[in-house]
Amino acid sequence: MDDSTRAAIFADFDISQNESQMDFTDDLTKSKFRKSQFNLSVSLTPGELSAIFDTPTIQPKLNSENGLYNQFLDVLQAFRISSPLQLLEILQYFIDNCIDTISILKDQNQNADWLEQELNTWRLLLTLFQVQHLESEKVDNIVSDRDLADALFKEDQKLKGIQRIVDWLEHCAAENMENEFMKDAKHFSDEEVAWPNTLGQLLKKELIYQSSGSMVTKLDPDAPNRQSRSIHDLDQVDDDRLLTQVFNEIRCGRLEKAELLCCQYGQFWRSAIMEGWRLYHDPFYKPKEEQSPSDEILGNPNRDVWKACAWKISSDHKNSPYWRATIGILCGNIDAVLPVCNRWEDILWAHLHTIVNVAVESHIQTHKSSSFISLPEKYWEYKMTMDDIIAELKSNPKLAVRQEAHKPRRQIQQYFMTNQFRELVNIMADWAENSLESDPQFLRFLAHLILVIRWAGIQHDELAANLIIQKYIEVLIPMNDSLLVAYYTSQLEQTSQIIIYSKFLEKSVLTEQRTQGLLAAEKFSLPVEEITKRIVETYRNRFTNMTSGQDLFSEITSDDYELISALDWIIYYPHQVEEAFVQINTVVRNFVAQGKIQAARLAFNKVQKDSINRLMNNADIDIEKLLEFDMVSVSKKIQSLILEYLAYKCYLDAEEGFAEWFHEYHQTKPIEPIKLHGNADYAKKLIHDHNMEQYQIALSIWKKNVASSSQIVVEQLFNLLFFPNGWLVDHENEDKNRHEHFELLRTICIPKIFMLLHTILHSAEKYTECIKLASYITDKTNKFYQLFSQADLKKLLAKIAESSVCLMESNEQVLDPWGF
């Protein structure tokens, strides 16, 4: 990081020795932290937040708040968290995003209150984290009250944090005033002198309106209290409005503006009174080499006297409540301030300001040998802590304050102020599950809070944190933005990554969508292989069951097409070829068990030749000769997968060959011409004879084709029956479920193959071959008889018996039923 950037982040802190480096993209480095145009602090160390509350970077405006999803993602993508300073940079960009969107919403006359509250929370986090990453400093060469106060803030990080919260509250109030209260011009008098109407009546000028009560006879500032009389009624109204605005300016951290306001309307004494709180500093006590020409004496050397007098003014109920509150906040009399504080943030500000006031005064009086005017005991009795203040806000007598203290965004701020992060994360998880609070933008806010807490290294409940991020991902999934879903999924533990991202990708149908989804997963280091595997398994579990075979060539359903399409996920990555074989074999196995041969073929065809080559580590392998290939060089698992693949190929070829034969045998046989009547004329006989001649030729061709196809199909069927080592007999199979599926398929398919063989052989009048099928079934080597149910065996034997009868009836030689 360059010096200018570092100085901008911690403008009011000396961190020149901090060597932490930031690592982020060029696009973001073009934008630096900006300085605030206002000095917001009315505390003892003015100007502290100049690096926190900035004007935003100029960015293209989006249509609505929906742009926040991608804007926040853009910030997170740009950083690789390697130092605390990067977290501060991220928070600043979160702030900028909120400011931009608020501007858009207001231009569109939309409600932006919810986003302003979020903006203020990000600002609070930024200022608190800034303080956390500062180290305590030991200050030497202390010569004045201000030096003592500066040293206290550099040594006491807790007090520094409280002061930062005070400044944050003042900035929020200033923004709120600019947005609302100051939209209309406020006039407190038509003249630039104090109490002009009182002056006019005393000078016996003609006034439109005379005061209704006993009026003062003098115009010095103490006259109303000294004489127990009032000023002119119109002046009293103007005075009340002026003092209300003066307090509001103090509440916004704009002391100078409050003083200027008093001067503009002739009440210079009020401006002078407010100036008396400043800490005394005389730079000329320092050695000459440490002095500069611009040095000047600042502050009030008799500040203790001023404070004692100010306490009396703020305690005098004859004074205006807002004037009492103004002086009370400066001198530490909180009892004078609270009566005019009706909001959560005002009460919090009053308490925290008082904590700082008392701490600084105590430090000064402890470390200086001078004698001080005694302050009221009540001043020193103020001992409230941050936890006490938060508890008081939650139980405040004012209903509006109590309600505000229990709102989610206020609770988030309160938990951060009290460092109760575990409790915060747990309650945020409850909100995420509560539909009343789980609107999309609020979930976005919670999810990014979790990420900030993680990156800050804060201990918290990981299960609750992951739940919040998962709820946010559920909001993102319908948007179909793979980058959004992939990034936030990557923030979960791996098991959840697989489950959630596979669920997201399941809905992707188009090739382009699938490619984008996987590229996004790769970009954020998601376990893509496990994700694609789970997608296929999800479809398998949803749409398939190992059931007994149905009718041959059952129609393919839409669910089947979805399952077949899902196989594309598993063949996307070439290095995942082994898993691809596992999944495709399993899908084919299920389709074959259901009798869905066409569906099984579509699934089977997902395996390409190059896939087999990769699996076998052989570029020139011939699929047709795989059974003859020496597979010693590959593992037993791959051998098992290849043999299963070949077993399905053999079965599908046989089934499809039979289907083609069946169609050719029953649908393509030439139709014999209709016989003529005996009295048909000569012309018709000629035509009939010609047609019969053509029929005989076609019939001869058909018989040759059928005989040829029969021979091919019979060979395919016998190849299946006498598959090397047995069809779907896997001696290396250690998967119990897979073994059970194999046995089920053998009981379904082998009896069917015998029936198909008999059908073809019987149709070809090869009755002797039909009878031989019985010997194959009873052969103890292959033990096919174990695969037949009693009903299937009875049915096949009945067919063989028919062939035996046909054999005896068709042969001129006398043969027994077995063809001998």
Side-chain angles (χ1 to χ4, degrees):
M1 180 193 298
D2 57 36
D3 294 338
S4 61
T5 304
R6 186 186 304 278
I9 296 177
F10 288 113
D12 58 321
F13 297 128
D14 180 13
I15 57 164
S16 57
Q17 302 304 315
N18 190 332
E19 296 299 329
S20 299
Q21 297 295 311
M22 301 181 69
D23 182 25
F24 45 91
T25 61
D26 293 338
D27 288 340
L28 287 181
T29 53
K30 293 176 182 176
S31 300
K32 306 297 183 181
F33 280 107
R34 282 76 51 199
K35 293 286 186 177
S36 173
Q37 57 183 320
F38 298 112
N39 178 1
L40 302 171
S41 180
V42 72
S43 65
L44 302 171
T45 54
E48 289 181 334
L49 294 191
S50 57
I52 298 178
F53 306 127
D54 313 323
T55 55
T57 53
I58 299 175
Q59 300 176 355
K61 292 189 176 183
L62 301 176
N63 292 331
S64 68
E65 68 270 15
N66 289 335
L68 286 170
Y69 299 114
N70 291 101
Q71 289 174 2
F72 273 64
L73 174 64
D74 291 342
V75 173
L76 297 179
Q77 284 189 87
F79 288 87
R80 294 185 295 276
I81 301 298
S82 59
S83 73
L85 293 181
Q86 285 185 295
L87 182 56
L88 303 181
E89 185 84 353
I90 287 174
L91 289 171
Q92 183 59 56
Y93 278 101
F94 284 176
I95 291 170
D96 291 347
N97 290 340
C98 291
I99 292 173
D100 291 340
T101 305
I102 289 171
S103 175
I104 296 170
L105 293 176
K106 289 185 176 181
D107 290 345
Q108 298 172 349
N109 294 321
Q110 297 184 42
N111 177 37
D113 292 344
W114 59 274
L115 190 53
E116 288 178 345
Q117 292 182 30
E118 178 182 336
L119 165 65
N120 289 333
T121 304
W122 291 128
R123 285 170 167 165
L124 174 64
L125 266 61
L126 177 57
T127 186
L128 292 178
F129 285 143
Q130 278 190 339
V131 174
Q132 286 182 6
H133 295 120
L134 295 175
E135 297 182 359
S136 298
E137 297 181 42
K138 205 70 178 173
V139 180
D140 299 321
N141 196 20
I142 296 175
V143 298
S144 66
D145 293 353
R146 198 182 73 176
D147 291 338
L148 279 170
D150 290 344
L152 174 62
F153 280 112
K154 290 181 178 179
E155 294 170 2
D156 190 337
Q157 297 293 82
K158 186 176 180 180
L159 185 65
K160 186 69 174 177
I162 292 175
Q163 177 58 55
R164 283 302 188 105
I165 298 174
V166 170
D167 291 335
W168 169 73
L169 289 165
E170 290 172 352
H171 175 79
C172 294
E175 274 200 341
N176 186 60
M177 181 181 291
E178 293 297 328
N179 293 335
E180 296 178 9
F181 188 79
M182 293 302 289
K183 285 182 180 178
D184 301 322
K186 297 293 179 180
H187 298 287
F188 313 104
S189 174
D190 294 329
E191 313 253 350
E192 294 184 0
V193 295
W195 305 335
N197 293 289
T198 304
L199 176 61
Q201 189 164 331
L202 289 178
L203 295 177
K204 297 182 180 180
K205 292 184 178 180
E206 293 185 5
L207 300 176
I208 299 176
Y209 179 78
Q210 297 289 322
S211 182
S212 59
S214 57
M215 200 178 68
V216 295
T217 60
K218 303 290 184 181
L219 279 181
D220 60 276
D222 295 325
N225 286 343
R226 187 178 66 255
Q227 297 182 346
S228 297
R229 295 189 175 194
S230 63
I231 58 177
H232 193 281
D233 294 344
L234 295 178
D235 290 336
Q236 188 63 57
V237 172
D238 289 340
D239 215 39
D240 291 341
R241 294 174 63 191
L242 172 64
L243 295 178
T244 300
Q245 183 61 18
V246 166
F247 176 76
N248 287 332
E249 294 295 345
I250 296 292
R251 171 67 184 84
C252 295
R254 300 190 291 228
L255 176 63
E256 292 82 1
K257 191 171 181 180
E259 293 174 352
L260 180 61
L261 200 59
C262 293
C263 294
Q264 285 177 342
Y265 295 98
Q267 301 193 19
F268 295 94
W269 71 89
R270 295 193 193 276
S271 178
I273 291 175
M274 288 187 285
E275 190 67 13
W277 75 281
R278 296 191 185 277
L279 290 167
Y280 180 66
H281 178 66
D282 187 349
F284 299 106
Y285 279 100
K286 293 181 179 180
K288 287 187 177 181
E289 57 271 15
E290 296 182 18
Q291 298 178 16
S292 67
S294 60
D295 283 341
E296 58 180 331
I297 298 175
L298 302 172
N300 183 2
N302 300 310
R303 185 169 168 276
D304 55 335
V305 177
W306 173 90
K307 206 161 194 176
C309 296
W311 187 279
K312 291 182 179 180
I313 294 174
S314 62
S315 300
D316 190 349
H317 290 274
K318 294 179 182 179
N319 292 317
S320 161
Y322 282 95
W323 179 240
R324 291 178 57 216
T326 299
I327 302 303
I329 198 65
L330 296 177
C331 72
N333 185 2
I334 193 170
D335 291 338
V337 184
L338 291 178
V340 300
C341 296
N342 298 311
R343 299 183 302 173
W344 175 91
E345 54 268 37
D346 295 337
I347 296 173
L348 176 62
W349 170 78
H351 278 288
L352 297 183
H353 208 294
T354 303
I355 289 177
V356 174
N357 196 305
V358 174
V360 170
E361 191 66 33
S362 175
H363 185 74
I364 291 174
Q365 295 197 15
T366 301
H367 290 80
K368 287 193 72 173
S369 58
S370 309
S371 59
F372 295 93
I373 298 293
S374 298
L375 293 175
E377 291 184 6
K378 200 167 186 180
Y379 177 82
W380 301 110
E381 289 175 357
Y382 185 86
K383 302 293 183 182
M384 290 189 74
T385 64
M386 180 66 76
D387 291 332
D388 297 333
I389 297 169
I390 298 302
E392 194 278 332
L393 288 168
K394 291 181 177 179
S395 59
N396 194 276
K398 298 175 182 177
L399 176 62
V401 175
R402 290 200 308 274
Q403 291 176 337
E404 184 72 14
H406 287 89
K407 288 181 178 179
R409 287 179 173 83
R410 289 302 187 198
Q411 290 196 62
I412 291 170
Q413 295 167 0
Q414 291 167 170
Y415 280 119
F416 268 102
M417 292 175 192
T418 54
N419 295 324
Q420 295 177 300
F421 300 109
R422 183 170 292 274
E423 294 83 351
L424 170 61
V425 172
N426 289 334
I427 196 172
M428 283 165 58
D430 292 338
W431 294 335
E433 287 192 303
N434 182 356
S435 59
L436 296 177
E437 296 293 346
S438 57
D439 67 271
Q441 293 293 348
F442 186 65
L443 284 173
R444 173 192 52 74
F445 175 45
L446 295 184
H448 289 88
L449 278 176
I450 290 298
L451 296 180
V452 168
I453 289 172
R454 282 181 175 175
W455 292 334
I458 297 171
Q459 295 295 321
H460 62 281
D461 187 336
E462 278 294 333
L463 291 177
N466 287 336
L467 172 64
I468 295 168
I469 296 176
Q470 289 178 32
K471 289 293 182 180
Y472 180 51
I473 295 172
E474 290 176 9
V475 170
L476 299 176
I477 286 177
M479 299 179 189
N480 292 320
D481 189 323
S482 54
L483 283 176
L484 278 172
V485 178
Y487 178 83
Y488 294 99
T489 303
S490 70
Q491 303 304 312
L492 302 172
E493 41 83 27
Q494 190 176 69
T495 301
S496 297
Q497 290 178 3
I498 296 169
I499 295 172
I500 292 174
Y501 204 70
S502 63
K503 183 179 179 181
F504 167 68
L505 291 182
E506 281 176 23
K507 299 179 181 180
S508 301
V509 177
L510 301 177
T511 303
E512 183 181 353
Q513 292 177 330
R514 292 181 172 184
T515 301
Q516 289 176 351
L518 291 175
L519 289 176
E522 292 175 10
K523 180 175 183 179
F524 299 114
S525 303
L526 294 179
V528 288
E529 294 183 14
E530 293 298 322
I531 290 170
T532 54
K533 176 182 175 182
R534 182 178 176 84
I535 295 173
V536 177
E537 290 179 343
T538 300
Y539 274 98
R540 277 177 37 210
N541 296 334
R542 187 182 305 164
F543 296 142
T544 65
N545 293 294
M546 289 300 296
T547 58
S548 58
Q550 303 172 358
D551 294 337
L552 192 62
F553 300 104
S554 299
E555 291 186 4
I556 307 176
T557 66
S558 59
D559 289 345
D560 296 335
Y561 279 118
E562 286 187 32
L563 174 57
I564 295 167
S565 175
L567 292 175
D568 290 335
W569 290 109
I570 207 70
I571 63 177
Y572 185 87
Y573 294 104
H575 59 273
Q576 211 173 353
V577 61
E578 184 175 327
E579 184 62 33
F581 267 87
V582 172
Q583 297 297 339
I584 292 173
N585 282 346
T586 305
V587 172
V588 173
R589 185 190 315 152
N590 279 278
F591 281 142
V592 170
Q594 298 175 64
K596 297 183 176 182
I597 304 304
Q598 293 178 345
R601 172 58 75 179
L602 290 175
F604 182 85
N605 288 342
K606 293 293 182 180
V607 176
Q608 303 298 324
K609 179 181 178 181
D610 61 340
S611 300
I612 299 174
N613 293 337
R614 285 195 300 272
L615 188 65
M616 302 291 293
N617 295 320
N618 189 310
D620 301 320
I621 193 168
D622 186 349
I623 297 177
E624 300 298 330
K625 297 181 179 180
L626 266 175
L627 287 173
E628 304 172 9
F629 187 78
D630 184 7
M631 291 191 286
V632 176
S633 61
V634 297
S635 67
K636 291 182 178 180
K637 180 179 180 181
I638 292 179
Q639 291 182 36
S640 177
L641 292 174
I642 292 294
L643 288 173
E644 183 181 359
Y645 166 81
L646 293 175
Y648 295 139
K649 182 180 186 302
C650 184
Y651 180 79
L652 294 176
D653 289 345
E655 287 275 26
E656 291 170 353
F658 176 82
E660 292 175 3
W661 171 87
F662 189 86
H663 174 78
E664 187 174 17
Y665 186 83
H666 291 282
Q667 303 296 328
T668 65
K669 185 177 181 180
I671 301 174
E672 184 178 355
I674 300 174
K675 292 182 179 181
L676 295 176
H677 297 292
N679 57 353
D681 58 30
Y682 180 74
K684 289 184 177 180
K685 287 181 179 180
L686 285 177
I687 294 173
H688 180 265
D689 291 342
H690 176 76
N691 289 340
M692 281 299 295
E693 184 179 351
Q694 294 296 320
Y695 165 71
Q696 291 298 333
I697 295 172
L699 183 62
S700 175
I701 296 172
W702 174 79
K703 286 182 178 180
K704 288 181 181 179
N705 291 338
V706 168
S708 176
S709 61
S710 297
Q711 183 179 355
I712 294 172
V713 176
V714 168
E715 184 179 345
Q716 290 174 330
L717 294 172
F718 272 115
N719 285 340
L720 185 145
L721 289 178
F722 299 103
F723 193 85
N725 296 320
W727 187 77
L728 286 185
V729 177
D730 190 353
H731 299 289
E732 302 296 335
N733 190 352
E734 298 179 356
D735 186 337
K736 184 178 180 181
N737 289 333
R738 185 164 174 260
H739 178 75
E740 291 176 354
H741 291 174
F742 281 7
E743 289 301 310
L744 176 60
L745 277 182
R746 284 171 57 79
T747 60
I748 293 172
C749 298
I750 297 297
K752 183 190 290 185
I753 294 301
F754 274 98
M755 290 296 296
L756 298 182
L757 270 170
H758 180 274
T759 300
I760 296 174
L761 293 172
H762 187 86
S763 300
E765 299 180 357
K766 294 182 179 181
Y767 303 124
T768 303
E769 298 295 327
C770 291
I771 295 169
K772 286 183 180 180
L773 293 177
S775 63
Y776 298 143
I777 295 172
T778 58
D779 180 66
K780 292 187 178 180
T781 302
N782 295 302
K783 298 180 181 180
F784 289 130
Y785 56 85
Q786 294 180 347
L787 303 176
F788 281 79
S789 66
Q790 193 171 13
D792 287 340
L793 190 58
K794 184 177 180 181
K795 183 178 179 180
L796 180 59
L797 292 176
K799 294 289 185 181
I800 294 175
E802 292 177 9
S803 299
S804 181
V805 171
C806 292
L807 176 64
M808 291 187 293
E809 292 178 348
S810 65
N811 224 303
E812 294 180 356
Q813 300 179 5
V814 179
L815 299 175
D816 63 14
W818 302 106
F820 297 102

